Amino acid sequence: MLFRSWAQTADAHWPDVARVRDHVGVAHLVVTRHALVREVLTDPATYRPDNALDAVTPIPVAALRVLAGHRFRLPPTLANNGGASHPAIRAIVADALHPTRVAAQRPWLTDLVRERVRGIAATLDAGGAVDLHARLAADLPLLVLARLVELPDAPVSAVKEFARAALELFWAPLDAERQQALAAEVGRFHRVLREFAATGGGLAGSLRAAGHPPDVVVGALFFLLVAGQETTSQFLTLLLHRLTGEPAVLAGLRDGTVAVADVVEEGLRLEPPIVTWRRVATVDTTLGGTAVRAGTSIVLWLARAGRDPATVDAPDELRPGQRGSRRHLAFGAGAHRCVGDQLARMEAAVVVAETAALLDGVSVVREPWCPDNLTFRMPDAFVVRRR
């Protein structure tokens, strides 16, 4: 269950809190109900984020040596930082992703998406098949993020490969050989980030100017390049796929009776790219009537919380604007709520608005496939052609 939880979000047989062991025998408490997931996320004293980036498959000595050879370090910076430094670091990152700055990118992004949609339509009109992940969704969030925070000047393909390697290395069930290969890829790019952190402008320069040490700058960049763009490209692909099976919603988008923003929120609720997140209990406590010992790993099932019938009328249906639609936890909650939520919403809104007509006329040739992973969906492709 833990590594393909998106396939079980509609299963009605899960208790509010369940004890589950993972592939290496580690016990976790899986929290399924919206209210309880939110309770954990908003109580940093009882449930700390320290384990959020821990590798779910313990990294063997050989792979650790590879990382050490690249001087890889990832100190608590954002998602796994429950310390006193977190608010100041977060404030600088949040300023770089301020809604005003995000909104200023919308005209540029709209022009780019329209250009790509025209090219995709031409291929489809000629009878060809198109991978909407590769042709449209995969690199858009990275291109926008690079403009906002002045990311290092690295090829898009290299950044995407690094981000997916990091998501696999820290959150997937792996064998030792694969871990060693991923460690080499992650370590190489970490060296690029160290060089940029020392001299780069934008966000890196702001963090340095505030007196944060090099490791903190690298950690912030590392996390942004994973969570700040890879998750959004995953979401765009998942949402496009979902919409191909929603003709009434597509019709409403075209005639203006369905709001783009409402479609995005329902997409986040039903198809979040981050399906689980972790916390660790700091004290003995009780959660939903279940005893929790200090040190227990808590897996928060965000995707299932979004389908909790206590918060939404039609849990498994895409009904834009329905009661509870915006109460999803796709961006988390509390002190570690995603600072890029407005950026992800803007990007998704542009893509939905510009592709509604295109999607209405296609059939699916190949659905997105997602590899085993505790937390991230990571779709690999989404191929369509004209009906």
Side-chain angles (χ1 to χ4, degrees):
M1 165 267 157
L2 282 175
F3 296 100
R4 300 197 69 79
S5 64
W6 55 84
Q8 302 181 51
T9 50
D11 187 335
H13 303 297
W14 280 89
D16 294 356
V17 180
R19 298 186 186 276
V20 176
R21 289 191 178 274
D22 65 21
H23 62 305
V24 294
V26 175
H28 307 269
L29 283 185
V30 178
V31 185
T32 69
R33 295 301 296 270
H34 182 281
L36 295 178
V37 171
R38 185 174 180 81
E39 177 182 334
V40 172
L41 288 171
T42 55
D43 183 359
T46 306
Y47 307 100
R48 287 179 60 87
D50 303 24
N51 64 341
L53 306 187
D54 288 356
V56 296
T57 303
I59 299 179
V61 172
L64 289 173
R65 285 177 179 151
V66 171
L67 291 172
H70 289 284
R71 293 170 46 205
F72 178 88
R73 279 175 47 83
L74 199 60
T77 304
L78 288 169
N80 63 337
N81 187 356
S85 66
H86 176 255
I89 299 169
R90 178 184 171 89
I92 294 172
V93 176
D95 185 64
L97 302 178
H98 190 278
T100 302
R101 290 171 54 81
V102 168
Q105 300 300 319
R106 188 168 191 140
W108 172 85
L109 179 62
T110 299
D111 288 343
L112 177 58
V113 172
R114 285 177 179 170
E115 178 184 352
R116 291 189 176 187
V117 168
R118 283 195 293 270
I120 290 168
T123 301
L124 294 173
D125 290 343
V130 174
D131 180 352
L132 293 180
H133 176 72
R135 290 276 297 270
L136 181 61
D139 66 342
L140 281 179
L142 175 58
L143 297 177
V144 180
L145 189 65
R147 290 168 61 93
L148 281 169
V149 302
E150 298 182 29
L151 289 175
D153 185 17
V156 168
S157 60
V159 178
K160 298 297 290 185
E161 288 170 5
F162 148 74
R164 291 181 72 90
L167 295 184
E168 188 179 352
L169 179 61
F170 292 105
W171 284 278
L174 300 167
D175 60 37
E177 183 178 356
R178 181 60 178 163
Q179 285 173 298
Q180 194 163 342
L182 292 168
E185 189 165 348
V186 169
R188 282 193 298 269
F189 200 84
H190 190 269
R191 181 171 297 181
V192 173
L193 291 181
R194 285 202 311 275
E195 295 169 355
F196 178 78
T199 59
L203 177 62
S206 297
L207 288 166
R208 287 198 314 273
H212 293 291
D215 278 352
V216 166
V217 182
V218 174
L221 293 171
F222 187 100
F223 188 72
L224 272 180
L225 283 170
V226 175
Q229 60 85 24
E230 186 62 30
T231 54
T232 306
S233 67
Q234 294 172 22
F235 173 57
L236 295 177
T237 297
L238 296 168
L239 180 55
L240 290 171
H241 175 240
R242 178 80 188 214
L243 287 174
T244 58
E246 302 285 349
V249 174
L250 291 174
L253 285 168
R254 292 197 312 278
D255 65 25
T257 59
V258 171
V260 170
D262 289 341
V263 172
V264 172
E265 296 305 321
E266 277 288 82
L268 288 165
R269 183 181 70 80
L270 287 165
E271 304 291 348
I274 299 177
V275 289
T276 70
W277 204 242
R278 282 176 290 171
R279 289 290 186 266
V280 60
T282 61
V283 296
D284 292 348
T285 186
T286 301
L287 182 63
T290 298
V292 181
R293 298 293 300 273
T296 299
S297 169
I298 312 292
V299 175
L300 305 171
W301 198 348
L302 305 178
R304 188 172 174 88
R307 299 183 186 225
D308 190 333
T311 62
V312 66
D313 290 332
D316 299 318
E317 298 177 26
L318 196 153
R319 293 187 184 179
Q322 69 167 310
R323 179 193 69 85
S325 179
R326 293 173 181 263
R327 293 183 62 194
H328 61 77
L329 297 170
F331 297 114
H336 285 81
R337 178 181 168 83
C338 176
V339 295
D341 58 340
Q342 295 305 309
L343 175 58
R345 284 183 165 109
M346 184 275 286
E347 292 166 340
V350 169
V351 170
V352 168
E354 300 301 325
T355 60
L358 180 80
L359 294 175
D360 190 50
V362 303
S363 59
V364 176
V365 175
R366 184 184 182 280
E367 295 186 347
W369 176 81
C370 303
D372 289 358
N373 199 284
L374 175 67
T375 291
F376 299 94
R377 293 284 298 271
M378 299 176 64
D380 64 336
F382 173 39
V383 182
V384 300
R385 69 167 68 246
R386 286 273 189 231
R387 281 198 292 267

